[in-house]
Amino acid sequence: MAIPQTEKPFDAAAYLAWEEVQAERHEYVAGEIFAMVGVRQSHNVATLNLASTLRQALKGTPCRVFVESVKARVEAANCFFYPDVLVTCDPRDRLTPDYVSHPVLVAEVLSESTAAFDRGGKFAAYRKLDSLQDYVLIDLSTQRVEVFRRDLENHWVLHDYGLGEDVELAFLTVRVPVDQIFEDTAEQAALPSAEAAPR
């Protein structure tokens, strides 16, 4: 009588092969997969505002800017995430079309369902990336931007920015106005009434 084989754990290679054929996106954390939830329009607008500003500022440099659908691999934590925005300046990342392993910046737009993980477990994983210099958290509810910046002693120092200020991304030598990140993120409370609709 044959002995049943123990089911193999869902490793990184299996995740990448499985994820490639999925209709929806999933993050991978130490053998477990988690479906990505949908986002509000304001979340997407803030993501694009930051990414487009960075892309324009980094033209002509070796750095590349990606949004939402490109995975960040944190090998030391056995994780794959889909950050809202990431920047890599490392030529090694051009050799891995499915993911980026050496980002210098990662940004997440906070939502009620993800804020605790973005501030906690996800940030703990990202800190294992030797390349990472700035971890940016964009809070739509307060219209503030938090930047955790790695200093020369390898400590993460919080820099907090509000409307009317410029977010300093020192490693990239880029400054981004907070107002520009939150531009057009206000959402209508309700649809126009039928009476107000054009005929």
Side-chain angles (χ1 to χ4, degrees):
M1 176 174 170
I3 301 174
Q5 293 185 350
T6 304
E7 186 177 344
K8 294 181 180 179
F10 204 61
D11 62 14
Y15 160 75
L16 288 172
W18 177 84
E19 179 71 352
E20 189 173 349
V21 298
Q22 300 306 305
E24 304 296 333
R25 294 177 299 147
H26 304 79
E27 294 188 325
Y28 172 86
V29 180
E32 294 186 79
I33 58 170
F34 300 88
M36 300 289 291
V37 298
V39 299
R40 299 176 68 93
Q41 291 183 21
S42 55
H43 184 124
N44 192 258
V45 170
T47 296
L48 291 174
N49 286 346
L50 176 59
S52 60
T53 301
L54 289 173
R55 181 170 170 77
Q56 185 65 32
L58 295 171
K59 272 187 176 180
T61 75
C63 302
R64 303 171 85 194
V65 182
F66 297 101
V67 294
E68 293 184 344
S69 296
V70 173
K71 294 182 282 295
R73 182 179 191 181
V74 187
E75 189 170 3
N78 192 23
C79 297
F80 287 88
F81 299 120
Y82 282 98
D84 289 313
V85 180
L86 70 80
V87 178
T88 176
C89 306
D90 195 310
R92 289 174 292 180
D93 285 327
R94 293 177 180 263
L95 304 177
T96 53
D98 294 331
Y99 56 85
V100 166
S101 297
H102 310 282
V104 295
L105 178 144
V106 166
E108 299 284 3
V109 180
L110 301 177
S111 65
E112 289 184 9
S113 62
T114 65
F117 184 53
D118 287 342
R119 293 182 182 280
K122 186 175 282 189
F123 184 28
Y126 279 136
R127 290 198 300 269
K128 297 180 183 293
L129 289 168
D130 293 337
S131 62
L132 192 66
Q133 302 300 314
D134 289 304
Y135 183 57
V136 181
L137 296 176
I138 298 170
D139 192 332
L140 293 166
S141 63
T142 62
Q143 293 199 310
R144 299 196 69 82
V145 178
E146 299 174 9
V147 178
F148 291 89
R149 183 175 304 135
R150 190 194 299 266
D151 67 15
L152 295 176
E153 286 75 42
N154 209 34
H155 300 137
W156 290 90
V157 181
L158 171 62
H159 302 265
D160 188 30
Y161 303 94
L163 294 173
E165 299 180 301
D166 288 349
V167 176
E168 183 182 3
L169 303 172
F171 182 83
L172 295 172
T173 63
V174 172
R175 299 177 74 90
V176 182
V178 171
D179 298 60
Q180 197 165 319
I181 295 173
F182 292 108
E183 183 180 359
D184 199 29
T185 58
E187 295 176 345
Q188 297 296 328
L191 293 172
S193 66
E195 292 179 0
R199 296 181 182 278

